[in-house]
Amino acid sequence: MARIVVIGAGLGAMATAARLAVAGHGVTVYERGSTYGGAVGRFERDGFAFDTGPGLLHLPAVYRDLFVKTGKEPLEERVALTQVDPAARHVFADGTRVDLPNASRAGTVAALDTALGAGAGERWGDFLVRAREAWDRTRRPLLEEPRPADPAPLAREPYPALKPGLLRRPTTTLAQVGARELREPRLAALLDAYAWSYGFDPATAPASAAVLPYMEQTFGSWYVGGGLRALADAVYERCRERRVAFVFDTPVEAVLEKDGRAVGIRTAGGDIVEADHVVSGAPVPALYRDRVVEGGAGDGLPGHQAIGTSRVTACLALRGPRESEAVHRTVVHAEGERPTVTVLRPDDPALRPDADHESVTVTATVPTAPERDAAGWEAFAERMVEAAGRAVPGLRGRLLWQHVRTPEDVRRETGAAEVPGPALAGAGGRLLPADNRSPLPGLWFAGGWSHPGGGLAHAGMSGALVAGFIVEGADFRGSR
């Protein structure tokens, strides 16, 4: 039985801990904060509750697999999973609205034809066929297998873009895909919104980001009853049942190295904890920037994803009941100085004081630089709320109070202001996260800053990969 220390109690780190504990190892998690979940947080006030991280789950099979592999009780016996239908309502700058069904290609085509005109759905459907080719080419190396020793093939663009005219430059960005292949401003805005929701600027995101709408529209979007925090609760309880120990309010000051290998940690309080393996769920750039990794082979920042975006979240407490025709998720597209925002309105009694009130969450992707001061964030949040008014009738008159969370809150709670996105091929490899195998033997990376990247499903996959390396050794080749 190996002694294993896990740094951080985010979803990816806890997924790793549970799998390693089931394999018979002794696992202790050290978390600098007072609770678990990492970016999957919760804000509560006056009987209202809000998810402060992700609001929907994609690829729930990742967590179904985690619960199957770590015990006989399936995920659905721990949390209530419901498909969100429609998957999203889109409100475009010109006022056009379209409801896209959950995981229905034919329904999506029909809805787009009705809302945007004949032929719009066909163009979107043809685009998804090409997106599927990119998905098929990259699914296993980006999601199910360890990051290849030579990632150069993943640095090349896998999306089979339509050939541009003789005098036009090749299609290299998602924004170019929208302009050249969808040829309709609202369809292009729809495509852009998927990139923004994952933290990517469509003007710089590679064409391979086409896999993001393909993934959502193929595998669906799911809501966890009680909010996504309930999933963090379930994973934490599964860890405890498998005898994973948790030590909260204990920052890790250093990963200790001896003879070219990680041999333990030193806490901020000066305690030395010996270990055969150290698994870090902390942000990889912060881990090296703050010199947590000390000495020898551990020096040098490994390749990591360069995103440069974060999120602003406005938690809105509303008086009055949720109208019957409301939908769970509405994307209100940018107009003038108003940003593109995602408005989540879950019909969940657990998130409101009573049926005569409603909890609404509004999020927007923002660059991490230049930073705004308090007044700047307040003004930006006001524009977010103004945009959300296009999704929530009478919003201003119903608003009791609002609580705004900025990138600085993200930094304080997770260690980095940036919110990592899923791994994407192309772009010269700059959107490939750090390898799960660190430059220092015995130190492993799990969570959103490591392969296969950010997002709940991807973080869970990182846990399976790291556990596979430690349990099966160097011959581990990923899921089968």
Side-chain angles (χ1 to χ4, degrees):
M1 179 181 77
R3 302 164 300 173
I4 299 176
V5 164
V6 177
I7 303 173
L11 267 291
M14 289 198 295
T16 312
R19 289 177 183 271
L20 289 171
V22 166
H25 299 297
V27 184
T28 302
V29 177
Y30 288 83
E31 165 58 46
R32 68 176 190 159
S34 59
T35 188
Y36 51 85
V40 185
R42 173 65 59 93
F43 175 74
E44 298 182 13
R45 172 181 162 187
D46 301 338
F48 295 88
F50 308 85
D51 281 324
T52 58
L56 293 174
L57 177 64
H58 306 293
L59 298 177
V62 173
Y63 288 92
R64 291 190 179 112
D65 180 72
L66 172 66
F67 275 75
V68 167
K69 297 291 176 56
T70 59
K72 296 181 179 179
E73 187 178 23
L75 174 63
E76 278 81 355
E77 291 189 15
R78 290 298 184 94
V79 299
L81 285 178
T82 305
Q83 278 195 301
V84 176
D85 203 7
R89 170 174 293 165
H90 286 263
V91 180
F92 296 101
D94 66 354
T96 305
R97 297 183 173 220
V98 59
D99 289 355
L100 299 183
N102 198 334
S104 171
R105 179 76 59 85
T108 296
V109 168
L112 290 173
D113 275 342
T114 299
L116 306 185
E122 181 180 3
R123 287 197 298 277
W124 184 260
D126 290 344
F127 156 73
L128 287 183
V129 170
R130 295 187 291 277
R132 178 177 180 174
E133 290 188 44
W135 170 265
D136 289 342
R137 292 172 181 174
T138 60
R139 176 179 60 88
R140 285 198 59 81
L142 281 187
L143 298 181
E144 300 172 2
E145 298 174 345
R147 176 170 162 165
D150 177 13
L154 291 176
R156 296 193 287 268
E157 178 58 63
Y159 177 77
L162 295 180
K163 293 187 180 298
L166 292 176
L167 300 180
R168 299 174 69 183
R169 294 179 179 178
T171 301
T172 58
T173 69
L174 195 67
Q176 290 173 334
V177 171
R180 296 176 180 181
E181 299 183 10
L182 298 178
R183 305 189 311 281
E184 210 284 346
R186 292 166 296 185
L187 280 182
L190 173 61
L191 179 58
D192 288 352
Y194 281 99
W196 285 119
S197 69
Y198 284 90
F200 299 109
D201 183 341
T204 58
S208 66
V211 301
L212 302 176
Y214 172 81
M215 180 180 68
E216 280 201 27
Q217 294 193 9
T218 301
F219 302 108
S221 301
W222 302 73
Y223 177 68
V224 177
L228 262 293
R229 181 65 183 180
L231 178 63
D233 293 340
V235 176
Y236 172 72
E237 290 301 327
R238 175 53 55 90
C239 286
R240 292 295 303 273
E241 291 163 3
R242 297 300 171 260
R243 301 183 183 278
V244 174
F246 285 81
V247 183
F248 293 105
D249 298 309
T250 306
V252 172
E253 185 177 75
V255 174
L256 304 179
E257 177 265 339
K258 182 179 179 181
D259 299 330
R261 182 177 177 83
V263 294
I265 62 166
R266 182 175 66 247
T267 69
D271 293 331
I272 301 297
V273 182
E274 296 181 348
D276 300 300
H277 296 274
V278 176
V279 178
S280 176
V284 173
L287 193 69
Y288 281 76
R289 181 188 64 235
D290 299 336
R291 301 293 296 175
V292 173
V293 177
E294 287 190 346
D299 282 345
L301 176 62
H304 69 283
Q305 193 178 53
I307 299 282
T309 63
S310 188
R311 292 196 181 107
V312 176
T313 303
C315 304
L316 310 181
L318 305 186
R319 63 170 64 88
R322 181 180 187 269
E323 70 273 15
S324 58
E325 64 271 21
V327 299
H328 190 114
R329 174 171 58 168
T330 301
V331 178
V332 181
H333 292 260
E335 180 182 8
E337 293 188 352
R338 291 204 309 250
T340 293
V341 299
T342 298
V343 182
L344 295 182
R345 306 179 65 189
D347 187 10
D348 189 341
L351 304 183
R352 59 190 184 229
D354 52 53
D356 291 323
H357 294 84
E358 182 183 5
S359 297
V360 174
T361 304
V362 185
T363 60
T365 297
V366 295
T368 52
E371 296 183 355
R372 295 175 170 88
D373 58 16
W377 286 123
E378 182 178 350
F380 185 80
E382 284 302 305
R383 292 196 293 273
M384 291 173 59
V385 174
E386 181 183 353
R390 302 189 71 188
V392 184
L395 173 61
R396 288 291 186 182
R398 297 178 58 196
L399 184 61
L400 291 170
W401 51 261
Q402 67 186 47
H403 173 74
V404 179
R405 298 173 56 81
T406 71
E408 188 53 40
D409 295 301
V410 176
R411 185 197 305 277
R412 185 177 62 254
E413 295 180 0
T414 69
E418 290 182 312
V419 177
L424 292 178
R430 64 182 176 83
L431 296 180
L432 297 176
D435 196 331
N436 305 113
R437 299 157 289 195
S438 86
L440 179 65
L443 172 63
W444 309 87
F445 296 141
W449 284 98
S450 62
H451 180 74
L456 285 175
H458 293 70
M461 293 175 196
S462 78
L465 291 168
V466 172
F469 275 123
I470 293 175
V471 173
E472 298 186 29
D475 292 335
F476 176 65
R477 294 292 180 268
S479 60
R480 297 290 186 264

